[in-house]
């Protein structure tokens, strides 16, 4: 299940307008899958925010503080549960503003990826948005222990898969930021790389999360 193709990060283009439009076109051509909310399962959304640093495009990844009640010290995309009356895009953009101090309006939403049902009781909807080149951040220390900028080229990393006795599905790991990022975040990032960078319509609902992420 490795990424092996002739397309990649450079295929998006270099100018902001070209990069943005290429991402829109690839997401428009992707038929994202949705998941129903069952009893006890809550709706959530995460933001895959495209920005750049010194001319190189990429996305933000956070590491959650160790004192957080849910998923402490885990890698995550900016996001959280939907509040009353919110759409998935509303929630993703609000959470990004709360966590990173970055405001993006609805006109900068580029598309979405597959819903991903987490073991901790959420259906997570990934919203891809345009944060713009060289965007400054102001991370909230109550929600973000570390903030990483991951270049698009790094997102093309070959994933790892391990087996666990608790599930028949393989656990996906992405070697990024000097560590291993696991599902659900790894599954979302991997699908973004496959759909947007590689141009492949890859599903990720068959990828498992490690047991520590089930709680």
């Amino acid at each position: 299940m490795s990424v092996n193709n002739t397309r990649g990060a450079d295929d998006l283009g270099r100018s902001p307008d070209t990069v943005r439009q290429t991402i829109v076109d690839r997401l428009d051509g992707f038929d994202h899958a949705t998941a129903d909310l069952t009893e006890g399962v809550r709706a959530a959304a995460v933001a895959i925010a495209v920005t750049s640093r010194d001319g190189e495009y990429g996305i933000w990844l956070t590491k959650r503080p160790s004192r957080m009640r849910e998923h402490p010290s885990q890698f995550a995309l900016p996001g959280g549960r939907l509040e009353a009356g919110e759409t998935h895009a509303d929630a993703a953009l609000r959470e990004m503003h709360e966590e990173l101090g970055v405001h993006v309006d609805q006109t900068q939403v580029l598309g979405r990826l597959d819903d991903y049902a987490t073991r901790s009781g959420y259906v997570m909807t990934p919203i891809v948005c345009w944060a713009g080149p060289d965007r400054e951040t102001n991370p909230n220390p109550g929600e973000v222990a570390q903030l990483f900028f991951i270049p698009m080229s790094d997102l093309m990393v070959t994933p790892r898969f391990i087996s666990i006795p608790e599930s028949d599905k393989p656990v996906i790991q992405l070697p990024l930021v000097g560590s291993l990022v696991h599902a659900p975040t790894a599954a979302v990032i991997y699908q973004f790389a496959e759909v947007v960078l590689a141009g492949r319509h890859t599903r990720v609902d068959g990828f498992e999360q490690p047991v520590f992420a089930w709680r």
Side-chain angles (χ1 to χ4, degrees):
M1 296 184 182
S2 64
V3 176
N4 183 16
N5 51 79
T6 57
R7 280 182 163 181
D10 289 341
D11 197 44
L12 292 179
R14 289 295 179 181
S15 74
D17 289 345
T18 300
V19 172
R20 188 184 189 283
Q21 189 58 51
T22 302
I23 294 172
V24 169
D25 291 343
R26 291 185 182 171
L27 290 171
D28 281 349
F30 176 65
D31 185 18
H32 65 264
T34 59
D36 294 331
L37 293 177
T38 57
E39 185 176 356
V41 175
R42 294 159 288 183
V46 295
I48 305 174
V50 179
T51 184
S52 70
R53 180 181 294 173
D54 299 326
E56 186 170 21
Y57 284 88
I59 66 171
W60 288 309
L61 176 72
T62 74
K63 188 171 185 180
R64 294 165 63 85
S66 60
R67 62 184 177 276
M68 295 196 79
R69 183 172 58 86
E70 292 187 336
H71 309 299
S73 301
Q74 294 181 29
F75 292 103
L77 295 161
R81 69 184 69 179
L82 272 65
E83 295 183 351
E86 281 190 322
T87 66
H88 294 96
D90 290 337
L93 299 184
R94 173 182 54 76
E95 289 282 352
M96 183 169 67
H97 184 248
E98 292 175 2
E99 294 181 25
L100 305 186
V102 175
H103 175 71
V104 172
D105 65 33
Q106 293 282 345
T107 64
Q108 303 305 317
V109 172
L110 308 184
R112 59 186 282 183
L113 297 170
D114 286 350
D115 288 352
Y116 187 91
T118 76
R119 288 282 194 168
S120 57
Y122 293 93
V123 168
M124 189 170 72
T125 299
I127 301 296
V128 182
C129 64
W130 182 254
D134 300 304
R135 192 66 182 267
E136 293 187 2
T137 61
N138 183 24
N140 177 353
E143 299 194 63
V144 178
Q146 289 180 274
L147 176 63
F148 304 92
F149 171 78
I150 306 181
M152 296 293 193
S153 56
D154 288 359
L155 297 182
M156 299 301 294
V157 66
T158 300
R160 302 178 184 179
F161 299 95
I162 64 170
S163 299
I164 57 174
E166 293 85 355
S167 176
D168 294 331
K169 297 179 179 180
V171 173
I172 183 172
Q173 303 173 328
L174 293 180
L176 292 169
V177 298
S179 188
L180 290 175
V181 179
H182 294 82
T185 301
V188 172
I189 292 176
Y190 176 67
Q191 188 175 55
F192 175 81
E194 285 283 281
V195 172
V196 171
L197 304 184
R200 289 205 296 253
H201 294 187
T202 301
R203 302 297 181 190
V204 293
D205 56 345
F207 296 152
E208 184 59 90
Q209 304 145 68
V211 174
F212 66 74
W214 291 20
R215 297 178 291 275

